[in-house]
Amino acid sequence: MSGVEEGDLVARVEGAAGIIRLNRPKAINAVTLEMFRDIEKALDRFEADPAVALILLEGAGERGLCAGGDIRTLWESSKAGGDLGKILWREEYILNARIKKFPKPYVAFMDGIVMGGGVGLSAHASHRVVTDRTKLAMPEVGLGFFPDVGGTYLLSRSPGEIGTYFGLTGQTMNGPDAIHAKFADWVVPAAKLPELREALTMVRPGATAAEVGKLIDGFATGETAGPVAAKEPAIDALFGFDRMEDIVAALKRDGSDFAQATLKTLNEKSPRGMVVTLKLLRLARKSSSLEQCLVREYRAALEVFRSDDFREGVRAAVIDKDRNPTWSPPRIEDVTPDMLAPYLAEIGVDELKFN
């Protein structure tokens, strides 16, 4: 065993595995800018080390891999007219793209809560392991934001309109539904993770992705679909539109309990956030790469960072916790094309670029 304990991030070699552990258990391992930078350095080191066969991403503590980004600090910067959003999201999105293309097997243990920025660090991995405790969500629309970190790429590649549903409602996926939605690859019981972890540290250097996959297979339950997958025909009928007004109208026409509950959920979200999200999801369907989606997300994120809706959403959910945001504008039909345009506009010298 070699390496150093690095506070909020632990990066060390154990046997054949380059371990990256998010190490803020009290905050459910919410990721900060410094942690993203430390992950980049760890990946540099592990990529260059011939003795490292694979990367293993895990979260400290029992509650989850990662509850998302450090939203409170972003909120403070946004309020002060700062530039943390511009810096943090640039580095985070570049890291998301790197994870997808990483040359060695990258195994993510997506146990417990996995949200937002945690999805970005895990769902682009080559080997994605969920458990019987997994609660995965992209709840950003409830913060006046949209599913970023490549979320629009991932959600637009879920079967049917499952991704549209999860992106707009922020509802939680269990492990099997995460597999159905193409956010994960295997369900492994949480009780078996220590044994799987030990086996991964003993993989031979130079092991192929297929060999690592076969190893994980030996621990997996074989489940591939959860409760939301069973509702896919209804979801496809209700969410198969390109305008939020049409989705809402379809839900209102449908008398089912599911449609009414979904409508109630959408009524709590940012109208502007939902319109932006749906537009980005539809554009992502036509994009061939994660990078194209991240470039678009970065443009939209900078606009979000300047918006009252983001500050108000975070205030209501995280700061004051009154769960009673006052959205601007308050209704979906009040979100005009002129309001939407800045989220999609090119941003010149600030455009996201990949190495």
Side-chain angles (χ1 to χ4, degrees):
M1 199 182 290
S2 67
V4 288
E5 298 272 343
E6 295 174 1
D8 290 346
L9 191 90
V10 176
R12 64 177 175 222
V13 177
E14 292 183 30
I19 306 287
I20 295 176
R21 183 182 306 133
L22 309 179
N23 195 36
R24 298 181 68 207
K26 286 181 182 165
I28 319 181
N29 304 315
V31 268
T32 63
L33 177 59
E34 286 310 313
M35 289 166 75
F36 290 131
R37 289 175 174 171
D38 287 341
I39 292 168
E40 277 281 5
K41 286 180 205 151
L43 290 178
D44 286 343
R45 200 166 91 229
F46 296 152
E47 187 175 344
D49 185 347
V52 171
L54 56 85
I55 308 301
L56 175 57
L57 175 76
E58 61 185 11
E62 293 292 306
R63 293 163 72 197
L65 171 66
C66 175
D70 188 1
I71 290 287
R72 184 180 287 267
T73 310
L74 282 165
W75 178 79
E76 288 166 355
S77 179
S78 175
K79 274 190 72 171
D83 60 359
L84 179 62
K86 186 176 184 178
I87 296 163
L88 183 142
W89 288 320
R90 179 184 296 277
E91 296 188 29
E92 181 180 15
Y93 296 1
I94 288 168
L95 176 59
N96 299 149
R98 180 179 187 183
I99 288 166
K100 183 159 178 64
K101 291 189 166 173
F102 200 72
K104 295 180 180 181
Y106 182 120
V107 182
F109 278 3
M110 301 164 77
D111 186 33
I113 291 169
V114 187
M115 293 186 183
V119 173
L121 294 175
S122 58
H124 301 300
S126 58
H127 297 70
R128 305 166 299 177
V129 177
V130 285
T131 74
D132 47 315
R133 302 190 301 199
T134 295
K135 292 179 178 169
L136 189 153
M138 300 293 286
E140 291 80 4
V141 179
L143 299 174
F145 201 23
F146 61 88
D148 67 327
V149 298
T152 63
Y153 174 84
L154 292 160
L155 291 163
S156 68
R157 277 145 183 80
S158 299
E161 298 296 339
I162 289 279
T164 313
Y165 168 78
F166 279 124
L168 291 173
T169 63
Q171 293 289 72
T172 301
M173 307 176 200
N174 70 0
D177 268 333
I179 291 179
H180 183 71
K182 296 189 166 37
F183 274 68
D185 305 299
W186 294 270
V187 179
V188 172
K192 284 191 177 179
L193 284 185
E195 195 185 338
L196 171 57
R197 187 184 189 280
E198 188 176 350
L200 288 166
T201 65
M202 297 193 290
V203 167
R204 66 171 185 86
T208 64
E211 287 171 312
V212 173
K214 194 172 177 190
L215 171 64
I216 298 169
D217 261 336
F219 293 83
T221 66
E223 295 167 272
T224 58
V228 177
K231 296 190 175 80
E232 193 174 315
I235 287 171
D236 287 355
L238 294 165
F239 283 84
F241 303 95
D242 296 340
R243 293 178 349 122
M244 273 312 302
E245 293 93 326
D246 296 335
I247 291 173
V248 169
L251 288 164
K252 283 179 176 169
R253 279 195 306 271
D254 189 300
S256 68
D257 290 347
F258 172 70
Q260 297 312 306
T262 302
L263 203 52
K264 186 172 181 293
T265 299
L266 293 181
N267 283 337
E268 298 164 359
K269 308 301 180 192
S270 157
R272 191 189 306 218
M274 287 189 285
V275 171
V276 170
T277 294
L278 185 58
K279 182 67 175 174
L280 290 173
L281 288 175
R282 294 302 183 248
L283 289 169
R285 274 190 180 162
K286 300 169 189 162
S287 299
S288 59
S289 71
L290 171 61
E291 282 93 341
Q292 286 176 345
C293 294
L294 287 166
V295 165
R296 209 181 286 117
E297 289 176 11
Y298 189 65
R299 293 169 182 168
L302 296 193
E303 188 61 29
V304 166
F305 196 64
R306 291 189 282 267
S307 76
D308 292 336
D309 250 26
F310 173 67
R311 290 188 284 271
E312 176 61 7
V314 176
R315 180 206 64 73
V318 180
I319 310 300
D320 299 337
K321 296 189 167 94
D322 60 23
R323 305 281 169 193
N324 190 26
T326 303
W327 298 120
S328 168
R331 302 182 313 156
I332 288 164
E333 50 269 38
D334 297 332
V335 182
T336 66
D338 284 350
M339 282 179 200
L340 182 63
Y343 292 87
L344 307 172
E346 294 183 10
I347 52 175
V349 294
D350 285 333
E351 291 286 11
L352 190 63
K353 294 181 185 71
F354 302 94
N355 303 335

